[in-house]
């Protein structure tokens, strides 16, 4: 995989307004579509692959396949041409992940310089079961309006709901954390 920047990433790097930390910004700068994941890991560190996944899910990076595997799918292309429209829906669903939602909100809480955010961060880090993670996400969403601006809070809420699996989103709705 050779990740490269999207237009959103270019805008974020120029405007300095995106909720990115310094390591994420550095990774975005290095993702030019020429370096593969192993090269980025050597430059950034072992957490580079997790950061790349997080930035892909946030819409800042897009994955480009290395040039070698391209000939093999081309040979199978005539047989795979008809099922392509049917497989479009699962691709979107694959992007939804409780882990991605957790990582995203951990990053957001880490950016908040407030003792309550630190406590919520610790609770989310210590959550082990899916139910504990969903409960911690709900608590963080409930507390976020008191920690940051309403607009920022709404953007975080929307992005979290884009990556959170439907079943867990329903759990948050039942808990009352989705109102907003």
């Amino acid at each position: 995989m050779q990740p490269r920047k999207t237009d959103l990433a270019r805008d974020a790097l120029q405007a300095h307004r995106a909720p990115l930390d310094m390591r994420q910004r550095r990774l975005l700068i290095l993702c030019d579509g020429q370096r593969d994941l192993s090269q980025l890991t050597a430059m950034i560190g072992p957490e580079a692959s997790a950061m790349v996944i997080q930035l892909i899910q946030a819409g800042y990076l897009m994955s480009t396949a290395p040039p070698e595997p391209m000939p093999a799918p081309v040979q199978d292309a005539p047989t795979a041409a008809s099922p392509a429209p049917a497989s479009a829906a699962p691709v979107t669903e694959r992007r939804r992940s409780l882990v991605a939602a957790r990582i995203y909100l951990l990053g957001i809480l880490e950016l908040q310089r407030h003792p309550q955010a630190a406590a919520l961060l610790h609770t989310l880090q210590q959550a082990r079961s899916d139910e504990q993670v969903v409960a911690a996400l709900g608590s963080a969403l409930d507390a976020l309006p008191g920690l940051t601006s309403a607009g920022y809070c709404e953007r975080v809420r929307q992005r979290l709901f884009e990556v959170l699996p439907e079943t867990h989103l329903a759990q948050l709705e039942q808990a009352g954390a989705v109102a907003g």
Side-chain angles (χ1 to χ4, degrees), residues 67-136:
E68 298 90 33
M70 294 306 269
V74 171
Q75 294 170 357
D76 295 341
T79 59
S82 57
S87 65
V91 170
T92 312
E93 188 58 34
R94 248 185 279 145
R95 290 187 54 197
R96 291 182 173 271
S97 161
L98 184 60
V99 172
R102 181 181 187 171
I103 290 170
Y104 175 69
L105 206 52
L106 283 170
I108 295 299
L109 291 171
E110 196 171 37
L111 291 173
Q112 308 305 313
R113 303 291 184 211
H114 193 278
Q116 185 180 7
L120 292 165
L121 176 79
H122 181 72
T123 302
L124 187 54
Q125 285 174 331
Q126 297 304 312
R128 296 295 173 235
S129 69
D130 288 356
E131 292 78 21
Q132 290 174 332
V133 171
V134 171

Side-chain angles (χ1 to χ4, degrees), residues 20-68:
L20 300 171
D21 63 25
M22 192 168 51
R23 294 181 64 82
Q24 290 171 323
R25 292 181 67 78
R26 188 177 305 135
L27 181 62
L28 277 180
I29 292 167
L30 293 172
C31 290
D32 57 1
Q34 303 298 314
R35 295 179 180 96
D36 65 10
L37 200 51
S38 62
Q39 291 171 320
L40 293 170
T41 301
M43 293 176 176
I44 298 291
E47 67 277 359
S49 59
M51 287 172 49
V52 166
I53 291 169
Q54 182 182 9
L55 291 171
I56 287 173
Q57 291 173 340
Y60 291 104
L61 290 175
M62 57 195 304
S63 173
T64 57
E68 298 90 33

Side-chain angles (χ1 to χ4, degrees), residues 131-155:
E131 292 78 21
Q132 290 174 332
V133 171
V134 171
L137 291 174
S139 297
L141 285 177
D142 289 342
L144 204 55
L147 302 174
T148 186
S149 70
Y152 183 76
C153 179
E154 186 57 32
R155 286 192 306 272

Side-chain angles (χ1 to χ4, degrees), residues 149-171:
S149 70
Y152 183 76
C153 179
E154 186 57 32
R155 286 192 306 272
V156 168
R157 182 181 302 273
Q158 287 174 354
R159 182 63 191 139
L160 185 69
F161 293 163
E162 288 173 12
V163 299
L164 196 64
E166 297 291 333
T167 55
H168 299 301
L169 187 56
Q171 290 174 338

